[in-house]
């Protein structure tokens, strides 16, 4: 089982600012945590982060045939990007949406998730631990054949 974990804009700044919202672990620390948690569950992970919408679309397209599924936190593009939604639908890989913060309790503009419309797993507001939770839930669905 091999999953691609994609992070969108500004998530490379994890642990640098706004620790009250996004925690104190930095981006590389998050990768190590998720990689270790997933490895213990028999899930191999690759990681990709970009601040650019088109690059995120490219990497989603490129995942077809290389990964069993995608775990994605599109950052602010969650709330704006139909291009990322379309890419997720186009590759038709099982996908899980992650948000570190509880977007349901934040500003009105964070209440819509386009990318989430292509995802069968949603882990929201669990901090960086949400990535591992999402990966395990997604892997379980894939293994049971409950793909979305
Ligand atoms: O809660 C999440 O994971 C978000 O996807 C994070 C995005 C935000 O636009 C979404 O509404 C919810 C923002 C990521 C910014 O990450 C930072 C990390 C550290 C310091 C500053 C920003």
């Amino acid at each position: 089982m091999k999953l691609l974990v994609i992070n969108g804009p500004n998530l490379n700044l994890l642990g640098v600012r706004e620790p009250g919202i996004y925690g104190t672990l930095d981006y590389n620390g998050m990768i190590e945590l998720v990689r270790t948690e997933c490895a213990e569950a028999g899930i191999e992970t690759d990681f990709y982060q970009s601040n650019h919408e088109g690059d995120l679309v490219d990497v989603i397209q490129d995942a077809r045939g290389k990964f069993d599924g995608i775990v994605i936190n599109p950052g602010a593009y969650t709330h704006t990007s139909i291009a990322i939604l379309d890419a997720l639908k186009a590759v038709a890989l099982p996908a899980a949406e992650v948000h570190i913060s509880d977007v349901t309790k934040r500003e009105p503009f964070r209440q819509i998730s386009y990318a989430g419309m292509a995802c069968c797993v949603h882990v929201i507001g669990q901090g960086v631990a949400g990535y591992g939770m999402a990966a395990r839930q997604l892997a379980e669905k894939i293994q049971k054949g409950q793909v979305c």
Side-chain angles (χ1 to χ4, degrees):
M1 174 70 56
K2 190 168 179 184
L3 301 181
L4 177 61
V5 182
I6 301 174
N7 278 281
N10 297 309
L11 286 155
N12 55 313
L13 298 179
L14 275 179
V16 176
R17 295 184 55 201
E18 302 195 68
I21 300 177
Y22 300 114
T24 53
L25 199 62
D26 67 14
Y27 180 72
N28 287 328
M30 179 277 287
I31 287 179
E32 283 319 305
L33 176 72
V34 178
R35 198 194 295 283
T36 305
E37 283 177 359
C38 285
E40 285 167 3
I43 305 165
E44 191 183 339
T45 44
D46 271 6
F47 293 82
Y48 180 81
Q49 188 276 330
S50 176
N51 295 323
H52 305 281
E53 185 175 16
D55 290 345
L56 296 166
V57 169
D58 285 345
V59 83
I60 292 167
Q61 288 184 8
D62 200 44
R64 194 169 50 172
K66 296 181 183 159
F67 294 91
D68 299 299
I70 292 173
V71 175
I72 185 164
N73 181 350
Y77 288 140
T78 302
H79 319 297
T80 62
S81 180
I82 296 167
I84 290 174
L85 168 62
D86 285 346
L88 288 169
K89 283 185 167 176
V91 296
L93 282 170
E97 169 185 31
V98 177
H99 296 292
I100 297 168
S101 65
D102 186 353
V103 284
T104 67
K105 299 203 171 100
R106 297 183 65 186
E107 301 93 329
F109 60 81
R110 296 187 205 273
Q111 301 311 310
I112 185 154
S113 169
Y114 290 106
M117 294 173 193
C119 296
C120 58
V121 169
H122 307 265
V123 178
I124 293 167
Q126 301 300 316
V128 293
Y131 290 95
M133 293 164 68
R136 287 193 300 273
Q137 287 179 34
L138 185 65
E140 198 176 317
K141 278 187 187 283
I142 295 166
Q143 274 155 356
K144 287 182 177 166
Q146 300 172 338
V147 290
C148 44

